Amino acid sequence: MENVSSSLFTEKLISIVSRSNILLDKEKILPYSTGIRVGGGFASIVVFPKTLLQLWEVLKECISFNKIIIMQAANTGLTGGSTPDGENYDRDVVIINCLNIKKLTLLNHASQVIAFPGTTLYSLEEELLPYNRAPHSVIGSSCIGASVIGGVCNNSGGNLVNRGPAYTELSLYARLNKQGKLELINHLGIDLGSSPEIILKNLEESNFSINQVPNSTSMASDREYKSRIREIHSMSPARFNSDPRRLYESSGCAGKIAVFAVRIDTFPISKNEKVFFVGTNIPENFTYLREKILTENNFLPDMGEYMHSSYFDGSAKYCKDTFLFIKYFGTKSLPMLLELKRNFDQIINKIGFLPLHLSDKILQFLADIIPNHLPKRLIEYRNRFEHYMILLASDKSIDEIRNLLNSLTKDAKDYEYIECSEDEGKDALLHRYVAGAAPNRYKIINQFSSGDLLPLDIALPRNYKDWNKIFPKEIYDQMSNSFQMAHFLCMVFHIDFVVRKGEESEVLKDKILKILDLNNAKYPAEHNVGHLYKADLSLVNFYRELDPTNTFNAGIGKMSKRRNYA
C-alpha cells in the first residue's frame, strides 16, 4: 500500500512540475541531501518548482501525503540545516529546491526589493548597481551562491557593521496550523488580493504599483544594530541566532515555514572606499582599537574583519583556486563552476577505484604550482605579525580610521598598518572573502590525519576582552588543525576545528560548548542551529509556534523528528 501511495504522490508532483523537475535516483539526490560542510541524510525525492504557484501546489500535495518538507535554495548552510539528518524520520522526507524561482522586484526606485526563494545575492547586487544601491549582505566565502531568503531564514549576520544581521518583518509565507490546514500569510505590506492563487499570481506578475508601494512601520532591516554594537560594556553579545529581538516569522525561521518572498531594505553605495590592513603581535592592541572605534568615532567603518595567521595561511594555500577564479572571472561565474564541480564528483563517485573529492584534489594540485597570488606587502605583514585586521572605511569614516591608526601605531612596537592601494585592498578583501572554505579543503587534502570538522560560530559578549584565550591548550592539542577569524567589531568569531583522526569529536564538542557557556557566549551567532547545535528554549518555542505539527524541517536544533514533536 505504501508503494502505491508513493507512486501516486510522485504522479501528483509530475502533474505540477513535470518529470524533468523531479529527482528520484538516490545518487542524483545525494548532492541535495548532503550539507556543504556537515550533515546529510535520506530524502525520497527532490522537487524543483519553477513558479510560486507550483511551489504552493507542491506544498499542498506534500501535506496531503503526510511528508516532511525541507525547503532548500543553494544548500550553502554550514550547519546542515537545509538537508535531512540521518534516516530516523517517521515520515518520508521531501526536499523542495527553490533555486528556479528567482524573480526579483525593485520597489520604490530600488530603495527596497522583494526577493523570491531562489533570488541570489549575486543577482541582487547586479540588479541594484545601476541604481547605486547595495543589498544588506556582502557575499561571504561561507555562503558562495547563497540566496537572499536563506540569509533571512538563517539569521545570516555577515560583516557589514552598519547594517546588522539579515532581518525583515515583511514577508509572504506558508505555514501548517494546529488544525493541519495550510495557510498563506501575506505580511509584505502590499495588497495582492485574497486567495493564495491570486496573491501568488499578482506577486509573480508584479500586478501592483512597484514605485508607489506604501511605507511600512514594520522593519525591513535591523536599523537598531549600529547603536547596539557601540554598547561595549554589555555582558550580552551584539547578535546571535536565538536572540528573541530578531526572531520574527521568516526571520530566523530555519525552514520551519515555507517562505515565498521577503521585502528588504537596500543601501546607498559609498562614493569613496579605503582598505586598511593592520598587523600586530599583541592581541590587546585590537581590543583597544575596537573600543576606540565604537566609542569615539562618529562614523563606523563598513567592515572590521579579524584574521589570525591560521586563517591567513589557510586561505592562502587552500582557497587560492577560488581566489584566482573570482579575481579573473567574477563572482557571478561561481555557481556555474560549483555545478560543474558537483557533476564531476558525481560521475567520479560512481567509479569505485577513484578517490572521493577528486575535483578538490585536482584543484589543490593546480593551485600549489601557481606562483604566489597575494600582494607583496600583505605577505610581508604575514611574515612579521600573527594577528591582522582588515578595516574597510568609506566616505566620512576614512579620515577617522586613518587618524586613529596613526595615533595608535605611531610609537608602538609590533603594531603597524598599511593604507592599501586599490588593487591591494581588493585582494585583501578577496583573501578574507574566500577564507571560509579552507577548513573543508584542508580536511580533504589531509584526510589521513583529519577527523570531523567542528565549525564554531560564536557570539562573545560585547565586553569580552580575552577573545584570544577562549580555549585551553589541551583543546588545540586534540586537533589536526584550527582556523580563527572574526567580525571583530561585532565580537562574532568563526573558530573552525579539524579534529585529529581518532579523537572523539562529540566529546570534544561538549567540552568546547561548556567553556563557551561559562564565558556567557552564544552559539551559533549567525548561521542557524542546523543539526549541529541544540536549540535553546527561545528557539524551541519559536519553531513550535511557527510549525506546530513538525512538518517543516523536522529535527532542526536536535528537536524531535516525529509528527507533533512526539
Side-chain angles (χ1 to χ4, degrees), residues 52-53 101 103-105 107 113-117 149 171-173 184-186 188 190-193 195-208 210 213 259-263:
L52 295 178
L53 189 55
I101 313 174
K103 184 177 176 182
L104 177 65
T105 304
L107 304 179
V113 301
I114 291 177
F116 283 24
I149 284 182
S171 60
L172 174 69
Y173 63 93
L184 185 70
I185 298 172
N186 178 15
L188 285 171
I190 302 169
D191 184 5
L192 295 168
S195 74
E197 292 76 14
I198 291 173
I199 289 170
L200 298 174
K201 181 177 184 292
N202 284 334
L203 181 59
E204 198 129 35
E205 297 177 1
S206 299
N207 291 330
F208 57 96
I210 61 172
V213 173
V259 184
F260 284 70
V262 293
R263 177 177 164 188

Side-chain angles (χ1 to χ4, degrees), residues 226-512:
K226 283 191 289 187
S227 301
R228 185 171 174 81
I229 62 164
R230 287 184 182 271
E231 297 167 6
I232 64 167
H233 301 297
S234 172
M235 295 175 65
S236 66
R239 55 180 167 92
F240 54 98
N241 188 268
S242 58
D243 184 358
R245 296 170 54 256
R246 291 297 172 257
L247 298 175
Y248 188 90
E249 296 179 348
S250 63
S251 295
C253 72
K256 295 300 284 181
I257 53 178
V259 184
F260 284 70
V262 293
R263 177 177 164 188
I264 55 174
D265 290 333
T266 68
F267 302 86
I269 291 176
S270 307
K271 293 178 181 176
N272 299 294
E273 290 185 342
K274 177 65 69 174
V275 174
F276 299 87
F277 191 83
V278 192
T280 189
N281 288 314
I282 305 168
E284 291 76 14
N285 284 335
F286 285 168
T287 302
Y288 188 61
L289 173 62
R290 172 178 173 267
E291 290 176 0
K292 296 287 279 185
I293 290 172
L294 293 179
T295 59
E296 296 183 10
N297 282 21
N298 293 314
F299 305 98
L300 294 179
D302 297 270
M303 298 183 196
E305 294 294 288
Y306 165 75
M307 289 185 86
H308 182 259
S309 57
S310 59
Y311 241 128
F312 188 103
D313 293 348
S315 182
K317 180 174 178 61
Y318 296 108
C319 305
K320 185 195 283 190
D321 52 311
T322 308
F323 177 104
L324 293 171
F325 189 88
I326 293 174
K327 182 170 181 174
Y328 294 109
F329 297 101
T331 53
K332 65 181 179 181
S333 304
L334 269 177
M336 179 188 69
L337 177 69
L338 293 172
E339 182 67 22
L340 287 172
K341 183 176 176 293
R342 181 165 61 187
N343 291 338
F344 175 82
D345 282 336
Q346 259 187 327
I347 294 167
I348 293 302
N349 290 345
K350 293 178 183 178
I351 305 172
F353 63 88
L354 290 174
L356 294 173
H357 308 294
L358 185 59
S359 63
D360 283 282
K361 293 172 181 177
I362 292 171
L363 288 170
Q364 189 59 47
F365 172 78
L366 294 173
D368 285 343
I369 62 177
I370 295 172
N372 202 319
H373 60 296
L374 294 175
K376 183 179 177 181
R377 290 204 294 174
L378 266 61
I379 295 297
E380 185 183 301
Y381 265 43
R382 165 59 193 100
N383 294 333
R384 294 173 54 210
F385 302 115
E386 184 182 0
H387 306 275
Y388 324 100
M389 187 81 72
I390 303 170
L391 290 165
L392 173 64
S394 63
D395 299 336
K396 293 179 180 178
S397 70
I398 294 174
D399 284 340
E400 284 192 328
I401 292 295
R402 182 187 290 121
N403 294 337
L404 178 59
L405 289 173
N406 274 333
S407 66
L408 294 179
T409 63
K410 187 176 179 182
D411 299 311
K413 183 183 177 183
D414 282 343
Y415 193 17
E416 297 179 21
Y417 80 95
I418 298 167
E419 187 167 324
C420 295
S421 67
E422 185 176 347
D423 287 342
E424 285 175 329
K426 286 179 181 178
D427 283 353
L429 291 172
L430 184 52
H431 184 60
R432 166 60 185 88
Y433 175 106
V434 300
N440 194 48
R441 177 67 68 83
Y442 171 89
K443 179 182 184 296
I444 290 168
I445 301 302
N446 300 277
Q447 65 189 68
F448 298 111
S449 61
S450 301
D452 294 334
L453 281 180
L454 279 182
L456 295 176
D457 171 21
I458 307 161
L460 294 174
R462 282 165 281 177
N463 67 344
Y464 199 84
K465 298 195 180 203
D466 292 328
W467 49 270
N468 62 310
K469 305 171 188 173
I470 305 171
F471 301 117
K473 182 177 180 295
E474 52 263 33
I475 292 291
Y476 290 96
D477 287 344
Q478 296 175 77
M479 303 299 172
S480 173
N481 208 338
S482 61
F483 304 85
Q484 181 173 332
M485 60 185 176
H487 309 308
F488 196 73
L489 298 184
C490 307
M491 290 304 282
V492 168
F493 280 75
H494 297 283
I495 304 177
D496 295 301
F497 290 115
V498 185
V499 180
R500 196 168 60 204
K501 200 110 176 174
E503 300 287 353
E504 292 287 338
S505 60
E506 283 302 314
V507 174
L508 268 172
K509 181 180 167 186
D510 287 343
K511 289 180 182 177
I512 288 167

Side-chain angles (χ1 to χ4, degrees), residues 135-185:
H136 159 271
S137 299
V138 170
I139 309 162
S141 57
S142 60
C143 54
I144 287 170
S147 68
V148 175
I149 284 182
V152 171
C153 294
N154 294 313
N155 298 101
S156 173
N159 50 16
L160 298 178
V161 296
N162 287 296
R163 301 179 194 176
Y167 181 75
T168 187
E169 295 166 358
L170 299 165
S171 60
L172 174 69
Y173 63 93
R175 70 187 292 266
L176 194 63
N177 64 24
K178 291 178 183 177
Q179 292 73 40
K181 182 184 177 184
L182 186 67
E183 306 172 314
L184 185 70
I185 298 172

Side-chain angles (χ1 to χ4, degrees), residues 500-531:
R500 196 168 60 204
K501 200 110 176 174
E503 300 287 353
E504 292 287 338
S505 60
E506 283 302 314
V507 174
L508 268 172
K509 181 180 167 186
D510 287 343
K511 289 180 182 177
I512 288 167
L513 296 186
K514 283 176 184 174
I515 292 169
L516 294 176
D517 291 340
L518 287 172
N519 286 281
N520 204 30
K522 295 289 186 181
Y523 49 86
E526 57 181 5
H527 286 150
N528 184 350
V529 289
H531 296 297

